[in-house]
């Protein structure tokens, strides 16, 4: 089901993680992702997994929600693993027809798989515990310095938050239009690539029309509610660092120190 | 020749902890040529049930027989079923996509593998049946009015020449006149072609006016399945599940309570007026 | 008291073009409409699709500007660029599609969107959000995602979103057209409460006749003009005229009309089931049976 995609979905509950400043969560996620790419041994990944598990525990979001996000990248994950296993040169372990599996290949594939999984789950934790509005607020604040270079930071943030709000609606709509066309005898599944691409037209045209209609309606509704860009806007939920946010930063620092020590980053 | 639903259960997301039992043990028989109304509030399972009838959703357990054949048999031709049982979704105009009205209506028949000539004949016939004026045939469907778009979308399903036509709230969002026009067209269609029609609706007044049988859905089960008179006689029970009988039913019951000897089971304005006049003459 | 909304000769035309962009003709969506709406009034605007009622409504919120004539909201001319944000704050607008007007991902954030735009201080935003959500009885849902709400609930959130801007007038453009009967009832109840309790001027555009029964005044639009105007009772006593205008009447009114046609002496303009029952009761008690 299309509705099951959780990437970019918020899970409403009250938890320590939910209550943190989005800047903390954004910064942490970025640092976490960087750390994933810097580890030079498995111990580092173990540490990363442990850290993540701890955060998930605190977030009170059921673990299956995180795993659901994984489903959407399963294909990507598979390709990465297969390519790495077969295409890495090194000591051969196994020979399958013309393909050689190497020791290095297995190690690399495993590393990539772990890395990707942690990366996706890690970012899911952020989106699941932060409302998109909050997230874009955080981004807007963090990127504010770019304003001097005439980057429309507020506008970009607003666009992202609207896009996130409409993803589930458009997915549901896709599902509905697809069914309606199947009811008219459309076939989305058989035929060669060219025929399949052509079969998408009855799905894509209505979807685009609908997206434009919605965009138009929304723009009007926003204007009617006095939206006129970021100038002179106040915030219902302004970002102010609390004690818990500083504590969270401290925890992140500890994680960083540990990763440098355990994961042999830098040396 | 009929549709038979035999103990249909449908569990949405069956293997997850959030499983929803959307349809519970539904048994129904719909003979040919009947005009059936299906009512129930949002989430009662009526739309899901309709999607089972042409195989868009598959029951978790139970069987559906169309003209005596089990549609869940491995060698059953689902595509053929979909051409026999036409389903018009809610807001069907959202599925229009072709450059002109006529080509859009041809989409269904073409998918059935018909020749171009045959497809065009059917499209023409279908557009006539929904009462769309000829001069609109070569306009872009996106430039039509709301009511016209809806007719084109219904024609798109009719062009497949189904034996059964399911309409999921075909009048949602239309103005009163547009509402009446569509329903009258459907009624005419049913009388002329003997097509079986299943009308899903929120409007008790509409249902009372047009159908001969009402199926009331509540929380995934069939609560009542009877003639409009008998169903609306249960207006108190209908209210309990968030539905209501047509306003005339209330007026007649109230009159009866006040001592007027009137037939309270009438469901349409005409019947009710006749009944009140008779009672007053006594 | 001065009129909250006043229009004089309001006309809106748009140019139709064919595929090559050549002018095909001009459509007059609103045709010389003059209106006066007093503060605290509950106005219902009826009309079939394409009668110009939505176009008229969009002028009051300054989303559209008249081709000809003038619209004043609370004394301000809507074609005055300087006044546009004041006007939009004074006359808030709720639209038809519940999905396409909610901006926030959480109910309370959506209600706060309007006040944020007009620069209300943070503390006050929270107060306004709370009072607005309570007014439409959606406070319990403040932390919910709008995607999980029913249509009626979404529309109530939209109403709260407008309410939080402290408008003097709310225009609702077919807010119930996409809802089921229960959702419709919820929304109409909320709208009536705004008018009764908060004394906000309400302009309700709809084609459901039952929803206009409680209005002070009903306007019926046809081909861009005001075709009928009066109290609900005055309007609904003209069943034939309404049918000509592609509208219908509440079932009680229709039944009374039918009975009158069969010779029963009922007064014109019956609106509710109760009224009809009472009137028929009177006739049957008097015993003045009509000749067979």
């Amino acid at each position: 089901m299309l509705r099951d995609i959780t990437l970019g979905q918020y899970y409403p509950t009250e938890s320590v993680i939910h209550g943190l400043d989005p800047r903390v969560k954004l910064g942490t996620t970025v640092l976490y992702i960087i750390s994933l790419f810097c580890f030079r041994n498995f111990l580092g990944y173990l540490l990363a997994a442990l850290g993540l598990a701890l955060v998930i525990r605190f977030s009170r979001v059921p673990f299956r929600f995180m795993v659901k996000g994984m489903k959407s990248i399963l294909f990507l994950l598979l390709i990465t693993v297969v390519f790495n296993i077969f295409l890495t040169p090194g000591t051969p372990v196994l020979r399958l027809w013309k393909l050689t599996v190497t020791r290095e290949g297995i190690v690399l594939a495993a590393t990539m798989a772990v890395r990707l999984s942690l990366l996706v789950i890690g970012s899911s934790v952020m989106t699941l515990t932060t409302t998109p509005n909050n997230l874009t607020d955080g981004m807007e604040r963090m990127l504010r310095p770019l304003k001097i270079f005439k980057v429309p930071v507020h506008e970009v943030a607003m666009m992202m938050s609207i896009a996130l709000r409409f993803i589930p609606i458009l997915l549901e709509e896709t599902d509905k239009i697809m069914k309606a066309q199947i009811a008219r005898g459309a076939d989305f599944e058989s035929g060669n690539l060219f025929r399949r691409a052509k079969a998408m037209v009855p799905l894509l045209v209505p979807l685009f029309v609908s997206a434009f209609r919605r965009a138009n309606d929304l723009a009007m509704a926003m204007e009617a509610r006095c939206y006129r860009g970021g100038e002179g806007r106040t915030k219902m939920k302004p970002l102010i660092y609390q004690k818990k946010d500083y504590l969270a930063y401290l925890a992140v620092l500890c994680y960083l120190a540990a990763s440098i020590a355990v994961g042999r980053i830098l040396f | 020749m009929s549709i038979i639903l035999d103990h249909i259960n449908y569990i949405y997301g069956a293997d997850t902890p959030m499983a929803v039992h959307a349809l519970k043990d539904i048994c129904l028989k719909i003979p040919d040529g009947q005009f059936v109304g299906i009512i129930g509030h949002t989430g009662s399972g009526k739309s899901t049930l309709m999607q089972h009838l042409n195989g868009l959703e598959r029951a978790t357990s139970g069987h559906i027989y169309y003209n005596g054949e089990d549609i869940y048999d491995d060698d059953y031709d689902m595509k053929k079923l979909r051409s026999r049982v036409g389903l018009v979704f809610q807001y069907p105009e959202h599925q229009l996509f072709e450059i002109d009205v006529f080509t859009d209506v041809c989409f269904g028949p073409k998918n059935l593998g018909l020749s171009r000539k045959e497809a065009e004949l059917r499209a023409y016939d279908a557009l006539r049946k929904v009462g769309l004026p000829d001069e609109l045939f070569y306009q872009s469907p996106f430039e039509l009015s709301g009511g016209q778009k809806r007719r084109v979308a219904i024609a798109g399903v009719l062009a497949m020449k189904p034996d059964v036509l399911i309409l999921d709230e075909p009048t949602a969002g239309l103005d009163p006149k547009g509402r009446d026009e569509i329903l009258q067209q459907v009624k005419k269609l049913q009388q002329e072609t003997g097509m079986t029609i299943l009308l899903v609706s929120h409007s008790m007044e509409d249902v009372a006016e047009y159908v001969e049988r009402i199926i009331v859905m509540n929380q995934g089960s069939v609560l009542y399945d009877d003639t409009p008179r008998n169903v609306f006689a249960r207006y108190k029970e209908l209210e309990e599940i968030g539905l209501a009988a047509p306003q005339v039913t209330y007026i007649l019951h109230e009159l009866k309570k006040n001592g007027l000897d009137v037939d309270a089971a009438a469901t349409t304005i005409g019947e009710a007026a006749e009944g009140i006049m008779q009672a007053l003459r006594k | 008291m001065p009129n909250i909304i006043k229009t004089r000769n309001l006309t809106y035309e748009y140019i139709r073009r064919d595929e090559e962009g050549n002018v095909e003709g001009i459509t007059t969506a609103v045709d010389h409409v003059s209106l006066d709406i007093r503060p605290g009034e509950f106005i219902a605007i009826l009309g079939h699709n394409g009668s110009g009622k939505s176009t008229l409504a969009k002028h009051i919120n300054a989303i559209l500007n008249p081709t000809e004539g003038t619209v004043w909201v609370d004394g301000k001319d809507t074609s005055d660029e300087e006044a546009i944000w004041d006007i939009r704050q004074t006359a808030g607008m709720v639209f038809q599609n519940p999905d396409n007007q909610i901006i926030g991902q959480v109910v309370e954030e959506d209600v706060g969107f309007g006040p944020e735009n007009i620069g209300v201080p943070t503390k006050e935003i929270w107060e306004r959000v709370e009072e607005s959500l309570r007014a439409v009885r959606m406070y319990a849902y403040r932390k919910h995602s709008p995607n999980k709400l029913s249509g009626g609930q979404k529309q109530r959130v939209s109403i709260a979103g407008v309410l939080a801007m402290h408008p003097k007038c709310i225009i609702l453009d077919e807010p119930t057209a996409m809802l089921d009967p229960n959702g419709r009832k919820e929304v109409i109840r909320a709208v009536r409460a705004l008018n009764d309790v908060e004394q906000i001027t309400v302009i309700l555009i709809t084609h459901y006749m039952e929803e206009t029964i409680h209005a002070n005044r009903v306007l019926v639009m046809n081909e861009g003009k005001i075709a009928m105007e009066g109290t609900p009772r005055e309007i609904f006593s003209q069943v034939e005229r309404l049918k000509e205008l592609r509208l219908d009447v509440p079932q009680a009114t229709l039944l009374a009309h039918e009975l009158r046609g069969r010779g029963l002496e009922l007064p014109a303009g019956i609106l509710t089931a109760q009224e009809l029952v009472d009137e028929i009761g009177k006739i049957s008690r008097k015993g003045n049976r009509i000749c067979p």
Side-chain angles (χ1 to χ4, degrees), chain B residues 42 175 242 247 274 280 282, chain C residues 48-49 180 251-252 262 289:
Chain B
T42 312
D175 61 23
Q247 214 184 0
E274 198 49 51
L280 285 173
K282 278 176 202 162
Chain C
H48 60 83
N49 290 344
D180 64 10
Q251 271 208 319
R262 290 169 200 240
R289 306 287 144 89

Side-chain angles (χ1 to χ4, degrees), chain B residues 152-168:
Chain B
V152 173
I154 294 174
V157 174
L158 278 182
M160 300 174 72
K161 289 217 172 142
D163 300 323
V164 180
L165 183 66
I166 305 170
L167 297 139
D168 194 350

Side-chain angles (χ1 to χ4, degrees), chain A residues 131-133 165-166 168 214 217-218 220-228 232-238, chain C residues 61 63 85 88 99-106 108-110 113 116-117 119-120 122 125-126 147 165:
Chain A
T131 69
N133 262 11
R165 151 126 175 82
F166 277 86
R214 286 182 193 281
D217 281 4
L218 190 71
M220 194 158 62
M222 286 171 76
E223 268 192 47
R225 283 164 78 181
C226 292
Y227 180 71
R228 56 196 126 160
R233 242 177 145 245
T234 44
K235 293 267 178 201
M236 181 181 181
K237 297 175 177 171
Chain C
N61 190 261
I63 289 174
W85 304 112
R88 288 191 180 150
D99 279 324
N100 297 358
Q101 56 184 321
I102 294 182
I103 292 113
Q105 189 91 5
V106 179
E108 61 179 13
E109 286 180 8
D110 184 71
F113 180 75
E116 283 183 337
N117 290 334
V120 175
T122 301
I125 295 179
W126 282 93
N147 290 336
M165 296 173 75

Side-chain angles (χ1 to χ4, degrees), chain A residues 186-207:
Chain A
D187 187 348
F188 293 105
E189 272 146 16
S190 55
N192 57 28
L193 203 65
F194 177 71
R195 275 196 58 182
R196 275 203 216 186
K198 220 180 134 201
M200 294 303 275
V201 173
L203 175 63
L204 292 179
V205 173
L207 200 58

Side-chain angles (χ1 to χ4, degrees), chain C residues 189-250:
Chain C
R189 205 178 300 137
V191 171
R192 287 184 62 196
L194 296 189
N195 185 248
D196 291 344
V197 183
E198 322 259 335
Q199 315 289 312
I200 293 172
T201 313
V202 169
I203 301 174
L204 174 68
I205 295 171
T206 180
H207 45 229
Y208 288 107
M209 311 301 138
E210 316 80 273
E211 296 172 359
T212 67
I213 292 173
H214 304 283
N216 300 111
R217 231 181 340 145
V218 178
L219 307 175
V220 181
M221 288 200 66
N222 188 42
E223 292 176 349
K225 295 190 183 73
I226 293 178
M228 295 166 80
E229 182 175 355
T231 61
R233 207 171 292 282
E234 286 160 9
I235 299 290
F236 290 130
S237 60
Q238 305 174 51
V239 176
E240 297 301 329
R241 176 91 178 103
L242 284 167
K243 281 190 175 164
E244 271 169 42
L245 297 172
R246 294 179 59 98
L247 296 171
D248 63 9
V249 292

Side-chain angles (χ1 to χ4, degrees), chain A:
Chain A
M1 258 316 179
L2 290 159
R3 266 169 278 180
D4 292 342
I5 296 175
T6 52
L7 213 64
Q9 277 280 34
Y10 176 63
Y11 182 89
T13 182
E14 308 240 327
S15 79
V16 195
I17 308 292
H18 281 73
L20 285 178
D21 190 291
R23 285 170 292 180
V24 179
K25 286 185 263 189
L26 264 167
T28 308
T29 309
V30 172
L31 280 176
Y32 184 73
I33 290 172
I34 294 174
S35 79
L36 287 180
F37 283 91
C38 294
F39 289 131
R40 287 194 235 168
N41 57 13
F42 263 106
L43 220 53
Y45 290 108
L46 196 67
L47 175 77
L50 273 175
L52 190 59
L54 207 64
V55 172
I56 293 173
R57 186 97 183 78
F58 278 129
S59 78
R60 292 168 64 181
V61 179
F63 187 68
R64 58 190 159 83
F65 272 87
M66 319 272 172
V67 183
K68 258 201 202 165
M70 288 290 294
K71 266 195 217 155
S72 50
I73 63 138
L74 209 63
F75 184 64
L76 186 76
L77 198 69
L78 220 67
I79 288 188
T80 318
V81 168
V82 168
F83 269 76
N84 278 308
I85 281 192
F86 291 115
L87 299 177
T88 315
T91 339
V93 195
L94 191 72
R95 221 171 251 283
L96 287 168
W97 184 52
K98 276 185 181 170
L99 296 165
T100 320
V101 178
T102 62
R103 223 181 96 86
E104 286 79 357
I106 294 172
V107 173
L108 201 60
T111 317
M112 287 304 278
V114 170
R115 196 184 271 171
L116 263 176
S117 311
L118 288 176
L119 188 147
V120 169
I121 296 176
S123 7
S124 308
V125 172
M126 178 181 69
T127 51
L128 282 164
T129 60
T130 322
T131 69
N133 262 11
N134 222 327
L135 199 62
T136 43
D137 271 0
M139 245 182 254
E140 195 183 337
R141 270 299 286 272
M142 285 177 102
L143 300 176
R144 198 185 266 175
L146 291 177
K147 258 192 181 165
I148 23 173
F149 303 112
K150 301 255 188 238
V151 178
V153 178
H154 167 78
E155 283 74 10
V156 171
M158 182 56 87
M159 278 194 286
M160 284 183 56
S161 111
I162 289 171
L164 285 171
R165 151 126 175 82
F166 277 86
I167 284 171
I169 294 176
L170 287 175
L171 285 177
E172 210 160 298
E173 184 131 20
T174 311
D175 201 39
K176 203 193 117 184
I177 297 171
M178 210 159 176
K179 274 187 184 164
Q181 305 297 27
I182 293 174
R184 289 169 80 191
D187 187 348
F188 293 105
E189 272 146 16
S190 55
N192 57 28
L193 203 65
F194 177 71
R195 275 196 58 182
R196 275 203 216 186
K198 220 180 134 201
M200 294 303 275
V201 173
L203 175 63
L204 292 179
V205 173
L207 200 58
F208 272 108
V209 171
S210 148
F212 277 108
R213 191 184 53 240
R214 286 182 193 281
N216 204 14
D217 281 4
L218 190 71
M220 194 158 62
M222 286 171 76
E223 268 192 47
R225 283 164 78 181
C226 292
Y227 180 71
R228 56 196 126 160
E231 282 312 304
R233 242 177 145 245
T234 44
K235 293 267 178 201
M236 181 181 181
K237 297 175 177 171
L239 299 179
I240 301 160
Y241 281 128
Q242 312 280 331
K243 205 167 139 198
K244 58 185 175 196
D245 297 312
Y246 293 116
L247 283 175
Y249 273 130
L250 199 69
V252 174
L253 269 178
C254 293
Y255 169 79
L256 269 184
S259 350
I260 290 171
V262 177
R264 296 222 319 253
I265 301 177
L266 298 177
F267 53 89

